[in-house]
Amino acid sequence: MLKEALEGQGTVVCNPTAASVQFQVEPVGRWFEAFLRRRNRNVSASFQELEEEKELSEESEDEELQLEEFPMLKTLDPKDWKNQDHYAVLGLAHLRYKATQKQIKAAHKAMVLKHHPDKRKAAGEQIVEGDNDYFTCITKAIEILSDPVKRRAFDSVDPTFDNAVPTKSEAKENFFEVFAPVFDRNARWTSKKHVPKLGDMNASFEEVDSFYSFWYNFDSWREFSYLDEEEKEKAECRDERRWIEKQNRASRAQRKKEEMNRIRTLVDTAYSCDPRIKKFKDDEKARKESEKKAKAEAKRKEQEEKERARQAEMEAARLAKEKEEEAAKQAALQAKKEKEIQKKAIKKERQKLRTICKNWNYFADNESESVKMMEEVEKLCDRLELVSLQSLNEVLASSAKEESKAAVDKHVQEVNAQLQKEKEAEARARQTSRSTEQSSSGAGAGSKGWNEEELQLLIKAVNLFPAGTNARWEVIAKYMNLHSNSGIERNAKDVINKAKNLQKLDPHQKDEINKKAFEKFKKEHAVVPPTVDNAVPSERFEGSGADTNTAPWTTEEQKLLEQALKTFPVSTPERWEKIAAAVPGRTKKDCMKRYKELVEMVKAKKAAQEQVKTKK
């Protein structure tokens, strides 16, 4: 970009300039760092001054480092170094995992200057020879804490760390005061930075959700290799070293699992006791309830709107229907009026025709011809339409007797010819129907007529052998040939054709056939009058005395009888009295008689089936 010209100056371009290009430059380097520090501190200073200030601050920290003397230091057993507190040995018990490497080295330096065996020996103190001196504990402490891996292993099992998890009863009153320190204490094990805080009652849903999401997916660096019971360096061979490694891995995995369960228990307990979660759930429930109510209200309004539209539609349909009915009513009324008018006109013309013919004495010379002509005139009145009657009356009114007679005779001939044609057509139709019935009845024995006995026997056989019976129509034909007295052999085809014809019969005709069959059965089973000796009939007497019901058995009575026969077996005392009591309206003799008929029907059915099987 060209600089703007000052007042009184001008800008001159001597050569063509290239197009401007914009670059993005990322500031880096120690001078930029110094600039940021100056800006953050709101002061102006050079980088060198900042470096000097940093060195001075580090020196002041070294000078300010305060070591806490461990009173039990001289009593420590160097062989039991795993159970000692290395931070306390170096005097850093107050800093622990927060101590820097520089502070650890400074503490070790101070402890060496004070407790080195040579220093103590020079001071006249008794020194234990070898590695049994407590100074070995100081050496082991700096060895552990100066190595980042070994220090992390020791920090993971820090003896001063509180692993306790608060209970629900402890968090009822002061949830935040109880759980906030616990989460802050356990946050030291996370592998991630920026650990979210527990917050307070005013935290938003997003903050609470972020907090619990972090802890439910907690990634801990805590490991328990420091607690290994066996040291693989002491193994004598490779197999023993592998066995020790396997045992150590199993124990570490078990302790790691227990640690993760402890963290999960902590988070679950906090989540169940957190008043904010309950508040969020109540708010969500209230929101859903309001949405549900709004939805129900909208649905109700929609239903009302649909109902109003339906009512309006029904009202419109009703009005349209009323309008159509009114129009149809008016049209029917108009048609009725026209019909009445036409009827009156026809009646008038007929009367006129009768009067004219009567005046001419029906164009006859004697009484018999007059009567005959009167009948013909009545035919004309019944058959001719209004136009024909009007034209005939006009001819009769304007013509002489002979011409009028010729006109009447002409119309009489036409009407008689039309009546003759109608009779011939009806006769042909009747003949066609009769020939069709004869052709459908079949040839041979089937063309022969069926008497009432055979029809009744066919109906009985069809009911006796229902659909599903093996070779049903052959069995029915055999049954009819066996029980018929006509002497005509019927085959399966004849039986099928006649059964189809019976299905086409009017129900009244079927009832008539059944009635005749029952009357015949009643006649055949009539009672012989008792003899003079007044013999008492036996228990199996089948007559229809005063205590028998001659009405045919209904389907319901048949079902009750079958059920009673199953309920009361043969060995039951007074069996038939109990069976009769189970069938209302039937006596003991009725039940015994019906049972005998059923037995005979079953035997006949089996005999017919056996004959068909034998024939095959």
Side-chain angles (χ1 to χ4, degrees):
M1 298 290 292
L2 294 176
K3 293 183 179 181
E4 295 182 1
L6 300 177
E7 186 178 354
Q9 296 180 354
T11 302
V12 179
V13 179
C14 300
N15 294 318
T17 58
S20 300
V21 179
Q22 185 176 2
F23 291 97
Q24 278 192 343
V25 180
E26 182 180 1
V28 295
R30 59 177 183 171
W31 300 108
F32 178 70
E33 183 182 3
F35 164 73
L36 289 179
R37 289 181 179 176
R38 289 198 304 273
R39 187 183 66 179
N40 293 339
R41 296 183 182 183
N42 199 18
V43 295
S44 177
S46 64
F47 177 76
Q48 186 63 32
E49 292 175 349
L50 293 175
E51 289 292 331
E52 292 175 356
E53 182 181 351
K54 181 178 179 181
E55 292 177 359
L56 291 174
S57 64
E58 291 178 355
E59 290 177 0
S60 62
E61 288 179 2
D62 292 341
E63 293 175 357
E64 292 174 0
L65 179 62
Q66 299 293 330
L67 300 180
E68 293 182 356
E69 186 70 24
F70 185 42
M72 305 296 293
L73 176 61
K74 295 183 179 181
T75 61
L76 293 177
D77 184 6
K79 296 179 180 180
D80 193 22
W81 60 270
K82 268 198 173 184
N83 294 324
Q84 73 181 21
D85 186 353
H86 300 301
Y87 288 111
V89 169
L90 294 181
L92 299 174
H94 59 294
L95 296 178
R96 307 199 69 78
Y97 70 94
K98 296 180 181 179
T100 63
Q101 285 295 324
K102 191 170 184 180
Q103 290 173 335
I104 292 173
K105 291 179 181 179
H108 176 253
K109 181 178 179 182
M111 296 301 290
V112 168
L113 292 175
K114 185 176 181 180
H115 297 283
H116 194 276
D118 293 343
K119 290 281 187 180
R120 288 185 290 130
K121 189 175 181 180
E125 185 178 342
Q126 187 69 27
I127 305 299
V128 180
E129 297 294 335
D131 294 336
N132 294 326
D133 190 68
Y134 71 89
F135 186 76
T136 306
C137 297
I138 299 175
T139 305
K140 200 66 179 178
I142 190 60
E143 178 185 347
I144 297 296
L145 298 180
S146 61
D147 188 342
V149 177
K150 293 181 179 180
R151 184 183 179 185
R152 168 167 286 199
F154 175 72
D155 288 341
S156 297
V157 296
D158 192 343
T160 61
F161 182 76
D162 185 6
N163 288 309
V165 175
T167 60
K168 293 183 179 180
S169 59
E170 295 174 354
K172 278 187 177 179
E173 300 296 334
N174 301 315
F175 172 79
F176 298 101
E177 289 78 0
V178 171
F179 277 94
V182 179
F183 279 106
D184 292 341
R185 184 168 63 243
N186 285 274
R188 64 182 284 189
W189 309 123
T190 181
S191 301
K192 302 177 182 178
K193 297 181 179 180
H194 310 296
V195 180
K197 296 293 183 180
L198 179 62
D200 54 14
M201 198 63 192
N202 299 322
S204 64
F205 175 80
E206 289 75 14
E207 294 174 347
V208 176
D209 183 66
S210 173
F211 174 80
Y212 283 107
S213 297
F214 173 85
W215 281 99
Y216 271 118
N217 300 289
F218 189 72
D219 184 15
S220 175
W221 55 262
R222 196 175 187 184
E223 49 95 11
F224 301 92
S225 60
Y226 189 82
L227 299 178
D228 291 345
E229 296 181 0
E230 301 288 343
E231 296 182 13
K232 64 179 181 179
E233 289 80 4
K234 296 180 180 180
E236 297 180 357
C237 63
R238 181 174 61 184
D239 292 337
E240 184 180 358
R241 184 163 55 252
R242 288 179 177 175
W243 181 84
I244 291 174
E245 288 179 355
K246 183 178 179 181
Q247 295 295 323
N248 291 338
R249 280 196 302 270
S251 61
R252 292 175 195 172
Q254 180 63 26
R255 291 189 178 97
K256 184 71 174 181
K257 183 178 179 180
E258 294 173 357
E259 169 65 10
M260 296 313 296
N261 289 336
R262 185 186 69 85
I263 295 293
R264 185 57 183 256
T265 304
L266 170 64
V267 181
D268 288 341
T269 306
Y271 188 87
S272 61
C273 298
D274 197 336
R276 299 171 299 180
I277 300 298
K278 183 179 180 181
K279 177 176 174 293
F280 293 148
K281 288 182 177 180
D282 293 340
D283 294 344
E284 181 68 14
K285 185 178 180 181
R287 183 185 66 81
K288 288 183 177 180
E289 286 293 333
S290 62
E291 289 180 357
K292 186 177 180 180
K293 290 181 179 179
K295 189 175 180 181
E297 183 67 19
K299 187 176 181 180
R300 184 183 64 80
K301 290 182 179 179
E302 183 181 358
Q303 291 291 341
E304 291 178 355
E305 187 66 26
K306 288 182 178 180
E307 183 65 20
R308 283 195 294 270
R310 189 179 68 84
Q311 292 291 343
E313 185 179 352
M314 290 176 62
E315 183 66 18
R318 185 183 65 80
L319 294 176
K321 185 177 180 180
E322 289 180 356
K323 188 176 180 181
E324 290 178 1
E325 289 177 353
E326 184 65 24
K329 186 177 179 181
Q330 294 296 332
L333 187 61
Q334 183 65 25
K336 185 177 180 181
K337 289 180 180 180
E338 293 177 357
K339 188 176 180 180
E340 290 293 333
I341 293 172
Q342 188 177 8
K343 186 177 180 181
K344 289 180 180 179
I346 291 176
K347 185 176 181 181
K348 183 179 178 182
E349 294 297 330
R350 288 174 178 172
Q351 187 63 34
K352 188 176 180 180
L353 176 61
R354 293 189 185 101
T355 303
I356 293 173
C357 292
K358 184 177 181 182
N359 292 336
W360 289 107
N361 197 22
Y362 294 100
F363 309 102
D365 296 332
N366 52 46
E367 188 176 352
S368 61
E369 292 181 357
S370 177
V371 173
K372 184 177 180 182
M373 192 62 184
M374 188 185 299
E375 293 177 357
E376 298 296 337
V377 170
E378 288 300 324
K379 285 183 182 179
L380 293 178
C381 291
D382 292 337
R383 302 289 297 184
L384 291 181
E385 296 181 356
L386 179 61
V387 178
S388 300
L389 286 172
Q390 289 176 349
S391 60
L392 179 59
N393 287 334
E394 289 176 1
V395 171
L396 295 178
S398 61
S399 302
K401 182 177 180 180
E402 295 298 329
E403 293 176 355
S404 300
K405 182 180 180 182
V408 172
D409 290 340
K410 180 182 178 182
H411 282 82
V412 168
Q413 291 175 2
E414 291 177 356
V415 169
N416 289 332
Q418 186 177 1
L419 290 173
Q420 185 64 26
K421 289 181 180 178
E422 290 178 358
K423 288 182 180 179
E424 291 176 356
E426 185 178 354
R428 285 196 299 271
R430 194 180 299 110
Q431 182 64 25
T432 304
S433 175
R434 189 179 298 109
S435 62
T436 303
E437 290 181 359
Q438 290 178 358
S439 62
S440 63
S441 62
S447 63
K448 298 178 182 179
W450 288 65
N451 55 31
E452 290 185 2
E453 181 186 0
E454 288 182 312
L455 291 177
Q456 296 166 7
L457 197 59
L458 175 61
I459 294 173
K460 182 178 179 180
V462 169
N463 294 328
L464 185 60
F465 304 102
T469 305
N470 188 21
R472 182 191 184 197
W473 297 107
E474 288 79 1
V475 173
I476 292 174
K478 284 287 183 183
Y479 179 83
M480 291 190 62
N481 295 331
L482 183 64
H483 294 83
S484 176
N485 298 323
S486 63
I488 301 175
E489 290 290 332
R490 305 288 183 180
N491 55 27
K493 186 176 180 181
D494 300 333
V495 174
I496 293 173
N497 291 332
K498 195 60 182 176
K500 289 182 178 178
N501 291 335
L502 288 176
Q503 288 179 351
K504 297 177 182 178
L505 287 178
D506 187 62
H508 298 290
Q509 296 179 355
K510 293 183 180 178
D511 295 339
E512 187 67 24
I513 294 173
N514 291 331
K515 186 176 180 182
K516 289 181 179 179
F518 176 72
E519 290 177 354
K520 182 181 178 184
F521 174 81
K522 184 177 178 182
K523 184 177 180 181
E524 291 176 352
H525 294 75
V527 181
V528 178
T531 58
V532 182
D533 59 358
N534 295 323
V536 179
S538 65
E539 189 177 66
R540 299 185 60 84
F541 177 68
E542 298 177 359
S544 55
D547 57 345
T548 58
N549 188 353
T550 59
W553 283 70
T554 63
T555 307
E556 186 64 27
E557 291 176 339
Q558 182 68 30
K559 290 182 179 178
L560 292 174
L561 176 61
E562 293 175 0
Q563 183 62 35
L565 289 171
K566 294 179 182 178
T567 306
F568 305 108
V570 180
S571 60
T572 305
E574 299 181 356
R575 182 191 184 200
W576 290 105
E577 286 80 355
K578 295 180 181 179
I579 292 175
V583 185
R586 295 293 178 177
T587 63
K588 171 184 174 182
K589 293 182 179 180
D590 293 336
C591 296
M592 295 174 67
K593 180 180 176 182
R594 183 60 179 171
Y595 176 72
K596 184 177 180 181
E597 292 174 1
L598 294 175
V599 171
E600 291 176 354
M601 290 171 63
V602 172
K603 289 181 179 179
K605 181 177 179 180
K606 290 183 178 179
Q609 290 178 343
E610 290 294 333
Q611 288 182 3
V612 173
K613 292 181 180 178
T614 305
K615 185 177 179 181
K616 289 184 177 181

